[in-house]
Amino acid sequence: MYYEQSSDKRKSKNDDTETINRTIRLFDIIAALLAIVISTPVTLIIAFLIKLDDPKGPIFFKQQRIGKNQRPFYMYKFRSMHVDAEAKLEALLAENEMEGHMFKMKNDPRITKIGRFIRKTSLDEFPQFLNILKGDMSFVGPRPPLEREVANYTEYDLKRLAVTPGCTGLWQVSGRNTLTFEQMVELDLKYIRERSMWLNIKILCATFKEFAGKGM
C-alpha cells in the first residue's frame, strides 16, 4: 500500500512537471515570435551602429554555453566587444570583480563604444530570442554558464543545470552582480524547486521594470 501511494505521488509530480514544461514552452514560442517581430526596427538600428563603430567585425557574437543536463549550445548576442576579446580575457582575469567562477569587470577595455550602451540597456541580448525559438533557452531560467565555469562546479552546483537556461531569472532580479556565485546557485535552485508559469511571469515583470529603469 505504501509503495503504491509513493508511486502515485511520483507519477502525479512528474505529470505536473510535464504540464509546467509544456506551458512554459508554448509561452516561449509565442512570446519569442512576437518579440522578434516587434524588435525588428531596433535590431536593424543596432546592427547598423555596430558596423559603424567597428566595420571589420561581425554584427553577431556566438559563444558556446552549457544548457540543460550539461548539453552545450551556441548562445547568440549582438557583438559588444572587439573581435579579439576572447584572446585578451586571460590577461584580465586578475581584474575579475565577481566571486566564484564567473568573470565580470566594470570598465572592461574589450567593450566597444556601442557595446557599452547595448550592454547597459540589455539590448545586446535580443538575438537570444532565436535561442528561445530553437529550445536551447527559455525566457526565464538559470543563467547559461561557460564550459570553463562548469569545469569548476561541484556536484551541488551542477544541480542548477537541471532545467532549460534563461535570458533572465531569479538571480538577475535579486541583485545580479552584487551577489556571490554561491548566492546565485541558491537562487537558481530555489527557482527550480518553485518553477511555474506564474513565477516566470513575476520574474519577467520584475525584469521589465528593471529594463525600463535603465531608460528604455
Side-chain angles (χ1 to χ4, degrees):
M1 178 67 73
Y2 175 77
Y3 175 79
E4 291 178 355
Q5 289 177 342
S6 298
S7 178
D8 289 342
K9 286 181 180 179
R10 284 196 298 270
K11 185 178 184 301
S12 177
K13 184 176 181 180
N14 289 338
D15 289 344
D16 289 344
T17 300
E18 188 61 30
T19 299
I20 292 170
N21 288 340
R22 288 176 180 175
T23 303
I24 290 175
R25 181 61 188 146
L26 179 61
F27 172 86
D28 282 346
I29 292 172
I30 296 172
L33 285 171
L34 288 173
I36 289 171
V37 173
I38 293 170
S39 66
T40 295
V42 177
T43 295
L44 293 175
I45 293 172
I46 293 173
F48 172 75
L49 292 175
I50 289 173
K51 274 298 183 182
L52 188 66
D53 189 27
D54 186 5
K56 295 182 180 180
I59 293 171
F60 299 102
F61 170 74
K62 72 174 184 177
Q63 186 179 54
Q64 190 174 80
R65 297 289 181 116
I66 305 301
K68 181 180 179 180
N69 297 325
Q70 301 184 53
R71 184 178 66 84
F73 71 96
Y74 281 105
M75 185 178 78
Y76 306 112
K77 285 189 173 187
F78 280 120
R79 183 174 61 85
S80 60
M81 290 187 171
H82 296 290
V83 291
D84 59 350
E86 290 295 300
K88 292 180 177 180
L89 177 61
E90 191 69 29
L92 297 171
L93 289 177
E95 305 295 326
N96 190 10
E97 298 171 3
M98 289 286 289
E99 293 184 21
H101 312 308
M102 298 183 295
F103 178 83
K104 188 72 69 173
M105 184 177 175
K106 186 176 181 181
N107 296 310
D108 195 325
R110 302 173 300 161
I111 301 176
T112 62
K113 292 178 182 178
I114 183 63
R116 294 194 184 281
F117 172 73
I118 62 176
R119 277 182 164 228
K120 182 180 179 182
T121 54
S122 297
L123 293 173
D124 63 319
E125 298 183 2
F126 273 21
Q128 287 169 33
F129 296 145
L130 295 175
N131 286 119
I132 295 173
L133 274 182
K134 290 173 62 179
D136 292 328
M137 294 180 68
S138 177
F139 271 98
V140 180
R143 168 191 169 275
L146 294 164
E147 187 175 4
R148 61 177 172 80
E149 295 172 348
V150 176
N152 295 311
Y153 275 16
T154 64
E155 286 296 319
Y156 186 74
D157 298 336
L158 288 172
K159 292 180 180 180
R160 67 183 297 270
L161 303 178
V163 298
T164 304
C167 297
T168 186
L170 201 54
W171 168 68
Q172 287 91 328
V173 298
S174 300
R176 200 163 184 163
N177 297 339
T178 63
L179 301 177
T180 65
F181 173 76
E182 288 75 18
Q183 289 172 321
M184 181 194 75
V185 171
E186 292 303 325
L187 285 170
D188 286 339
L189 296 183
K190 175 180 171 64
Y191 167 76
I192 292 171
R193 289 192 302 270
E194 301 175 4
R195 186 168 174 257
S196 68
M197 192 63 242
W198 175 239
L199 177 59
N200 278 16
I201 290 173
K202 289 197 291 186
I203 292 173
L204 285 171
C205 288
T207 301
F208 181 77
K209 184 177 179 181
E210 182 177 329
F211 184 71
K214 291 177 180 180
M216 296 304 298

